[in-house]
DNA sequence: AATTCGGGGCA
DNA sequence: TGCCCAGAATT
């Protein structure tokens, strides 16, 4: 390597944008982009907003069905704003990151009150909506109103990092600034929506995280990462994920056809969703059936026997692995039980549960013991 | 500035 | 398994 060659970290300071990037990307978009999605070309800012919230940290294939169900259930933002929280959470059930759902409702009501039912049409007002950050505001502003704001999402970061060989971590304050600056520098000012759509589709279908299509990539000739064989190692993330294990023991108290449920309120996973009376242990616990019965009786003294036990079932989350076991306890009456509400099977179906619990409820294990 | 918020798909 | 996904809010 020549002495005059600068180190990778020193090479990249200001924007390194070159005029070749955007035209080539737009050409690919116009002639080779095959990606189709129901909200493409959508002009209703409500539907654009809805699709963007659903797609935060969520693959298009996973969010698609949810988007279609939401649009059908709530065709306008007024419909969504006046909906029952419970019904909206039920529609969101299984999608994850449930604060998005809570913020969705808050933002809909914000638009009805603060903006008199008209979706805000400028970047700062859009950004002021609950659950709307820099990415989503730029997406709505450009797709909905043709405003010149460049989106910066995982696709954009990957495309820029590889094309310019940017090895600065993107998950830091300066890293985010760097990629935002780079994205802004490449925005097609006269066609912001087209440009944003192009770079995201390109990142999703060509410049993919794993097994990118470099062999047929129209950007290959100018791509620094390809030239230096660093495609697989870019972009760079600085922080590593720390996971922990949690052990949940759920007690299903049943009186006839009624089951005791409660809503999670703590600032923890699954906030606002429903569950059952829960005992969490710092470590997995081996108990005899007698010991399980004694524990159940501490919660509900009337319990006489354990009808069934299932699990542990495992649920992988980003920062946690949940191991959940279920202890089914028939009761003679609803006296002296933990706080919560008694619901029948029909009501149970209308409540939003974490996927782990919903899977258990719909599994044969639950049905076998006449939970329904 | 660091952490936390789900669930699924892929190599 | 580890990483990523049309990120944002909280601490």
């Amino acid at each position: 390597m020549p002495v005059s060659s600068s180190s990778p970290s020193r090479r990249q300071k200001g924007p390194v944008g070159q005029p070749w990037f955007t035209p080539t990307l737009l050409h690919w978009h116009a002639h080779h982009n095959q990606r189709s999605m129901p909200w493409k070309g959508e002009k209703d800012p409500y539907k654009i907003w809805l699709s963007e919230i659903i797609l935060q940290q969520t693959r298009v294939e996973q969010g698609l069905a949810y988007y279609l169900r939401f649009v059908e259930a709530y065709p306008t933002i007024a419909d969504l704003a006046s909906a029952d929280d419970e019904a909206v959470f039920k529609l969101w059930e299984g999608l994850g990151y449930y604060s998005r759902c809570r913020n969705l409702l808050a933002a809909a009501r914000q638009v009805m009150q603060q903006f008199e039912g008209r979706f805000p049409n400028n970047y700062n007002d859009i950004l002021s909506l609950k659950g709307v950050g820099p990415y989503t505001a730029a997406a709505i502003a450009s797709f909905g109103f043709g405003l010149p704001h460049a989106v910066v999402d995982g696709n954009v970061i990957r495309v820029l990092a590889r094309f310019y060989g940017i090895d600065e971590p993107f998950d830091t304050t300066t890293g985010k600034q760097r990629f935002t600056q780079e994205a802004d520098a490449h925005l097609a000012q006269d066609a912001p929506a087209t440009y944003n759509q192009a770079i995201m589709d390109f990142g999703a279908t060509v410049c993919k995280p794993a097994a990118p299509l470099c062999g047929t990539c129209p950007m290959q000739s100018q791509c620094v990462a390809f030239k230096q064989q660093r495609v697989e190692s870019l972009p760079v993330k600085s922080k590593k994920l720390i996971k922990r294990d949690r052990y949940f023991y759920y007690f299903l108290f049943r009186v006839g056809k009624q089951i005791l449920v409660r809503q999670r309120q703590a600032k923890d996973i699954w906030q606002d969703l429903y569950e059952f009376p829960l005992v969490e242990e710092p470590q997995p616990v081996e108990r005899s059936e007698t010991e399980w019965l004694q524990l159940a009786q501490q919660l509900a003294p009337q319990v006489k026997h354990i009808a069934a036990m299932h699990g542990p079932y495992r649920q992988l989350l980003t920062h946690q692995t949940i191991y959940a076991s279920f202890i089914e306890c028939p009761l003679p009456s609803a006296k002296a039980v933990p706080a919560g509400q008694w619901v029948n099977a029909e009501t149970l179906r209308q409540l939003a549960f974490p996927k782990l619990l919903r899977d258990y409820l719909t599994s044969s294990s639950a049905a076998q013991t006449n939970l329904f």
Side-chain angles (χ1 to χ4, degrees):
Chain A
M1 169 112 21
V3 181
S4 61
S5 175
S6 57
S7 68
S9 58
R10 176 147 183 85
R11 188 188 313 131
Q12 309 138 2
K13 282 300 179 184
V16 289
Q18 50 156 295
W20 190 82
F21 182 93
T22 300
T24 307
L25 190 62
L26 291 178
H27 183 271
W28 170 84
H29 178 66
H31 299 284
H32 304 289
N33 187 0
Q34 303 287 342
R35 218 181 184 201
S36 89
M37 293 173 289
W39 49 83
K40 263 195 189 179
E42 177 62 57
K43 282 309 160 201
D44 182 352
Y46 162 65
K47 291 180 183 171
I48 295 170
W49 162 71
L50 179 60
S51 72
E52 295 299 343
I53 300 297
I54 287 175
L55 291 177
Q56 287 170 2
Q57 290 294 285
T58 303
R59 293 167 189 280
V60 169
E61 310 85 69
Q62 188 187 359
L64 179 57
Y66 286 84
Y67 171 77
L68 296 174
R69 284 195 285 142
F70 264 87
V71 168
E72 179 166 5
Y74 309 111
T76 72
I77 198 165
D79 296 322
L80 179 58
S82 61
D84 289 335
D85 291 23
E86 299 276 358
V88 179
F89 271 95
K90 178 63 187 179
L91 213 51
W92 197 275
E93 182 184 55
L95 191 56
Y97 283 173
Y98 297 95
S99 65
R100 288 184 294 170
C101 183
R102 186 169 54 256
N103 290 332
L104 190 79
L105 274 163
R109 291 161 186 167
Q110 202 178 337
V111 169
M112 295 311 293
Q113 295 162 19
Q114 187 178 342
F115 296 101
E116 299 173 338
R118 288 183 294 277
F119 206 96
N121 62 358
N122 66 82
Y123 181 84
N124 286 325
D125 282 348
I126 295 168
L127 187 62
S128 76
L129 297 175
K130 295 289 184 198
V132 174
Y135 162 77
T136 306
I140 299 171
S142 63
F143 295 142
F145 302 102
L147 297 171
H149 295 270
V151 296
V152 182
D153 74 335
N155 293 306
V156 173
I157 289 168
R158 188 170 55 255
V159 171
L160 291 171
R162 286 175 175 168
F163 187 80
Y164 290 113
I166 302 171
D167 52 18
E168 179 177 354
F170 65 85
D171 57 340
T172 63
T173 302
T174 55
K176 284 172 197 159
Q177 289 174 352
R178 172 71 193 281
F179 282 98
T180 300
Q181 188 180 29
E182 211 66 66
D184 286 339
H186 290 86
L187 178 65
Q189 295 290 330
D190 56 342
T194 303
Y195 168 81
N196 282 336
Q197 192 64 62
I199 193 168
M200 287 195 288
D201 285 347
F202 182 77
T205 61
V206 178
C207 198
K208 301 184 290 180
L213 309 182
C214 298
T216 58
C217 177
M219 313 278 274
Q220 190 212 84
S221 69
Q222 302 294 312
C223 179
V224 174
F226 182 80
K227 211 171 300 180
Q228 301 179 347
Q229 299 187 359
R230 293 199 291 156
V231 172
E232 299 294 341
S233 60
L234 293 176
V236 174
K237 189 169 166 182
S238 67
K239 305 176 184 69
K240 24 189 174 279
L241 197 59
I242 298 173
K243 290 192 89 157
R244 65 175 169 136
D245 295 332
R246 299 176 73 175
Y247 305 91
F248 288 1
Y249 298 91
Y250 280 115
F251 289 86
L252 282 70
F253 295 114
R254 180 166 57 86
V255 175
K257 296 281 186 186
Q258 305 277 109
I259 295 174
L260 188 62
V261 301
R262 69 183 191 90
Q263 198 170 18
R264 287 179 70 88
Q265 295 178 343
K267 292 193 186 229
D268 192 359
I269 58 168
W270 302 335
Q271 187 182 1
D272 297 330
L273 300 197
Y274 282 84
E275 63 175 359
F276 307 101
L278 168 66
V279 173
E280 181 176 359
E281 303 281 5
Q283 297 294 330
V285 179
E286 297 294 333
R287 291 185 174 94
S288 66
E289 184 152 340
T290 309
E291 290 170 323
W292 283 116
L293 180 58
Q294 289 171 352
L295 183 55
Q297 288 169 338
Q298 287 179 25
L299 300 174
Q302 290 191 89
V303 176
K304 290 297 180 287
H305 71 280
I306 308 271
M309 290 188 48
H310 296 109
Y313 298 93
R314 190 181 68 161
Q315 172 75 42
L316 300 171
L317 307 183
T318 303
H319 290 82
Q320 306 177 22
T321 300
I322 308 298
Y323 296 92
S325 298
F326 298 90
I327 302 100
E328 297 173 3
C329 309
L331 281 174
S333 76
K335 292 175 186 165
V337 296
Q341 72 185 93
W342 290 95
V343 298
N344 59 25
E346 188 185 341
T347 305
L348 196 70
R349 277 194 292 275
Q350 296 171 1
L351 301 176
F353 285 85
K355 170 163 176 66
L356 171 65
L357 301 190
R358 177 55 67 192
D359 284 351
Y360 176 73
L361 288 170
T362 57
S363 72
S364 55
S365 314
Q368 274 171 11
T369 51
N370 297 318
L371 272 174
F372 302 113

